[in-house]
Amino acid sequence: MEGQQFEFWFSDRLLAEATGVPLRALHFELEMILRAHEAVQPIAERLGVHPPPAKLPGFAYAHIAALDAKIEFTDAEPTPAPLLRSPEDIDRLREPGDYLEAGFIQQRLALAERLIARCPAAARTIGHLLEGPVTTAALLLGERFFLLPYEDPERAHRLLEFCVRSGLNYARAITRHFDPSADLVADGFPDDFGGIFAPPVFAEFVVPYWDRLYQGLQSSRRFLHSELLRVGHLPFLRELRVECYDPSADQYLTPELLRQHCPCRFQCRIQDWHVAHSTAEELQAMYRHLAGFRPKVISFCLSRLEDEAKIRALLDVARELRSLEG
C-alpha cells in the first residue's frame, strides 16, 4: 500500500496578503498578479514546495458571467447576482451565440493574454471550468430554485437541462480559445448545493444531470466535490461511477461515516479555520487521525502569513506519512 498522499497550495488570500494588496486587485491588475507570484516564492522556498504558477485568481463564475450574469467584486470573494427574476424567466433563457463575447469574459481573457505574454508559463485559464448544474441553477435563479422541484418540476428540469447544456458549451469554447486543437476533457466538477435535496428528489433532479455532465466532460475518472451530501446520498456515487469524492467542509459526513458508507475513494481536508485555531501539534495529530481512514488524499493550504510555521509542521508530517509503505 502506498504512503498517504497529500495536496498543498497557497490560497488567493495568502497571495494578496503577501503582496500587500486587496484580493480584488488580483482579479484586475496585471502588475499585482506578477508581484504576488514573486512575493510567494520565498515562502515556497522556506516550506520546500514549488511556488504556484502565475495565474488569475480562482473564479468560479465564468460560465454564468458568459451568460451575462453580473458579478460584484469587493475585498472579499466575488459575488454573483441572480440573472433570472422569476421562474417564468426560465422560459426565455437562450444560449449566447458566442460564449466569449460577454464584456466581463472579454476583460478577463485580455488580462490572461497579457499575463501569458509577460509570463509564458502562466496558467491558461480565466477561472474554474464550470460549476455543477444545481449550483448553477441556484446562482441563476437564487434561493427560489430550491423550491422549484416541488412547486414547478417541469421548469426545474428545464433550468437544469439548460445549465448542463450551456455549461458544456461554455467549457468547450474556453478550452478551444486557449488551445484550438484541444477537446473538452475533465474529470469532474464542484456542485456544493446538490445535497440540499433529500435522496428521493436528488434521484430525479440531481443524478441524471450529473451523469450528463460527466458524459459531456468525457470524464474517464469521475471526481466530485460536493459539500452538502448525507449518508443517504452516498449510494448514488456508485450509480454515477464516481471514483473519488471530495466532501471538503461537508458538515454531515465525518471521516468515520465516509469510511463506513462511501462506495468510492474519498478525500479529507484540513480547513483554514482548523489551521487558524489549532496549534502545530494539534494539526499534526489531526493529520495523523485523518490518515488513519486511508483517504485518497489529504489537502490543506496556507491562507495567512502568520500560519507559516503551522503549515511547515503539517508538511513535515505529510511528507513523513507519504514516504511510508503499508
Side-chain angles (χ1 to χ4, degrees):
M1 183 183 297
E2 66 177 6
Q4 176 62 59
Q5 300 302 303
F6 72 91
E7 292 177 351
F8 168 74
W9 69 96
F10 296 96
S11 76
D12 291 336
R13 288 192 173 280
L14 184 281
L15 295 174
E17 184 185 0
T19 314
V21 299
L23 179 57
R24 184 183 190 280
L26 297 184
H27 284 282
F28 296 100
E29 300 179 32
L30 175 62
E31 295 304 322
M32 294 302 100
I33 296 172
L34 294 170
R35 278 178 52 186
H37 181 57
E38 294 175 357
V40 79
Q41 292 191 37
I43 304 173
E45 184 175 348
R46 291 195 297 270
L47 293 175
V49 299
H50 294 294
K55 66 178 182 64
L56 275 63
F59 180 67
Y61 308 124
H63 167 213
I64 63 169
L67 298 173
D68 219 21
K70 305 306 177 188
I71 315 294
E72 180 182 2
F73 286 83
T74 65
D75 289 345
E77 297 296 327
T79 304
L83 183 66
L84 308 176
R85 295 185 177 183
S86 71
E88 289 71 27
D89 289 339
I90 295 170
D91 303 340
R92 295 181 285 277
L93 266 177
R94 298 291 184 273
E95 294 187 68
D98 181 353
Y99 269 95
L100 306 185
E101 70 179 358
F104 179 74
I105 298 296
Q106 286 290 310
Q107 182 182 9
R108 205 156 173 90
L109 283 172
L111 182 58
E113 288 164 4
R114 291 171 57 209
L115 175 60
I116 292 166
R118 292 278 297 274
C119 187
R124 266 77 172 156
T125 178
I126 63 170
H128 299 173
L129 194 59
L130 78 172
E131 294 283 313
V134 180
T135 299
T136 302
L139 292 171
L140 291 177
L141 185 58
E143 293 182 357
R144 180 69 184 273
F145 173 72
F146 300 124
L147 297 176
L148 209 60
Y150 310 96
E151 297 178 342
D152 194 341
E154 182 180 345
R155 280 199 172 100
H157 280 300
R158 194 178 307 153
L159 180 54
L160 288 164
E161 289 167 358
F162 176 85
C163 291
V164 171
R165 184 175 68 254
S166 64
L168 289 170
N169 286 335
Y170 163 76
R172 292 185 186 102
I174 195 67
T175 298
R176 290 168 183 163
H177 173 84
F178 287 107
D179 184 351
S181 65
D183 198 7
L184 175 60
V185 179
D187 283 340
F189 51 85
D191 203 346
D192 284 333
F193 288 128
I196 206 165
F197 298 115
V201 181
F202 185 91
E204 178 180 353
F205 289 92
V206 181
V207 172
Y209 298 101
W210 279 4
D211 190 49
R212 291 182 200 177
L213 195 52
Y214 281 123
Q215 291 181 44
L217 293 172
Q218 303 184 79
S219 305
S220 59
R221 294 184 175 181
R222 294 185 172 191
F223 170 82
L224 174 69
H225 168 106
S226 191
E227 295 190 352
L228 291 176
L229 301 189
R230 281 82 157 173
V231 167
H233 295 106
L234 294 178
F236 292 108
L237 301 186
R238 178 180 290 109
E239 178 181 336
L240 287 160
R241 304 191 308 282
V242 172
E243 292 194 22
C244 185
Y245 167 52
D246 173 23
S248 186
D250 193 311
Q251 60 187 305
Y252 304 106
L253 292 174
T254 63
E256 290 84 355
L257 289 172
L258 287 166
R259 183 67 180 267
Q260 184 177 357
H261 298 284
C262 190
C264 62
R265 298 294 302 276
F266 59 88
Q267 298 186 2
C268 290
R269 184 174 301 192
I270 295 178
Q271 303 289 346
D272 290 350
W273 58 84
H274 294 141
V275 177
H277 300 294
S278 305
T279 66
E281 292 76 15
E282 289 169 339
L283 289 169
Q284 288 185 321
M286 182 184 300
Y287 191 99
R288 292 183 186 278
H289 176 71
L290 293 175
F293 297 99
R294 300 303 304 169
K296 182 173 183 178
V297 66
I298 300 175
S299 62
F300 54 96
C301 71
L302 177 60
S303 287
R304 304 187 306 170
L305 291 174
E306 64 188 272
D307 292 328
E308 182 179 333
K310 295 180 183 179
I311 292 299
R312 184 181 301 111
L314 269 176
L315 285 168
D316 285 345
V317 72
R319 289 168 177 143
E320 173 195 337
L321 296 187
R322 184 178 60 184
S323 67
L324 296 178
E325 296 293 331

